[in-house]
Amino acid sequence: DIQMTQSPSSVSASVGDRVTITCRASQDIMNWIAWYQQKPGKAPKLLIYAAYSLQSGVPSRFSGSGSGTDFTLTISSLQPEDFAVYYCQQASSIPPTFGGGTKVEIK
Amino acid sequence: EVQLVESGGALVQPGGSLRLSCAASGFIFSTSYLNWVRQAPGKGLEWVSLIYGSGHTNYADSVKGRFTISRDKSKNTLFLQMNSLRAEDTAVYYCARYLASSTNTGFDYWGQGTLVTVSA
């Protein structure tokens, strides 16, 4: 199985900050990575798929980049509703595997 | 509007069985790739199983031989039959759909989740 290592595990940031979350795959996954946002007590929400494709309805302040083994999710200007846990997921092969999550907290 | 609604979660003893259901609406059920994904309390996400539009299935190693995914196309309902349950199966179970019926995308719609607790 492909391992996904996400960092940092948590980040404290203020409204308006630029936040970057990284994910490293244990092998080449080309651009087959998805990113999710999860708020307490809710199901995850798809933000980005295929590394940089923005899911319909997701604000443009979210962006993804990377290929091969190293990937990044960037929130260009953090908004109050963005405080949540973020997960990456490799979509290169079955089983799909998730990173451990990054909690974005209020500074 | 796409909707996925899970049911069937409960408290069950170790070694017991449970069947989860996921009622789907608002999309073409028969050709969609549908999954079960679980989340243990306070932990991350773990994929459990997939059923393709063809009916072919995949399972995580942790549940292979104990869990069975299936669907009833006439009722637009997805199921997860869970046997020989263990404490480590305790989690919220979500059904989720692959975007564009491709495993190279992500899960674009999720249900609200149903809690399974395995405890004596």
Side-chain angles (χ1 to χ4, degrees), chain B residues 85-112:
Chain B
L85 282 161
R86 307 166 179 167
E88 55 265 35
D89 296 319
T90 295
V92 173
Y93 285 73
Y94 296 100
C95 59
R97 186 189 80 164
Y98 264 119
L99 171 65
S101 294
S102 168
T103 59
N104 290 139
T105 55
F107 306 119
D108 63 343
Y109 283 95
W110 299 64
Q112 84 287 356

Side-chain angles (χ1 to χ4, degrees), chain B residues 4 10 13 26 48 52 59-60 65 69-70 74 76 82 84 88 92 94 98 101 103 107 109-111 113 119:
Chain B
L4 297 168
Q13 293 191 334
V48 173
Y52 294 82
Y59 297 93
I69 191 171
S70 64
S74 69
N76 282 5
M82 304 186 294
S84 303
E88 55 265 35
V92 173
Y94 296 100
Y98 264 119
S101 294
T103 59
F107 306 119
Y109 283 95
W110 299 64
S119 174

Side-chain angles (χ1 to χ4, degrees), chain B residues 45-118:
Chain B
L45 300 165
E46 181 188 18
W47 173 82
V48 173
S49 184
L50 159 65
I51 187 164
Y52 294 82
S54 64
H56 181 66
T57 60
N58 287 122
Y59 297 93
D61 286 345
S62 59
V63 307
K64 202 171 293 183
R66 300 188 299 124
F67 290 11
T68 302
I69 191 171
S70 64
R71 64 188 176 185
D72 183 336
K73 292 182 182 180
S74 69
K75 296 181 178 178
N76 282 5
T77 302
L78 177 72
F79 301 103
L80 185 68
Q81 177 67 43
M82 304 186 294
N83 299 330
S84 303
L85 282 161
R86 307 166 179 167
E88 55 265 35
D89 296 319
T90 295
V92 173
Y93 285 73
Y94 296 100
C95 59
R97 186 189 80 164
Y98 264 119
L99 171 65
S101 294
S102 168
T103 59
N104 290 139
T105 55
F107 306 119
D108 63 343
Y109 283 95
W110 299 64
Q112 84 287 356
T114 188
L115 177 62
V116 173
T117 304
V118 184

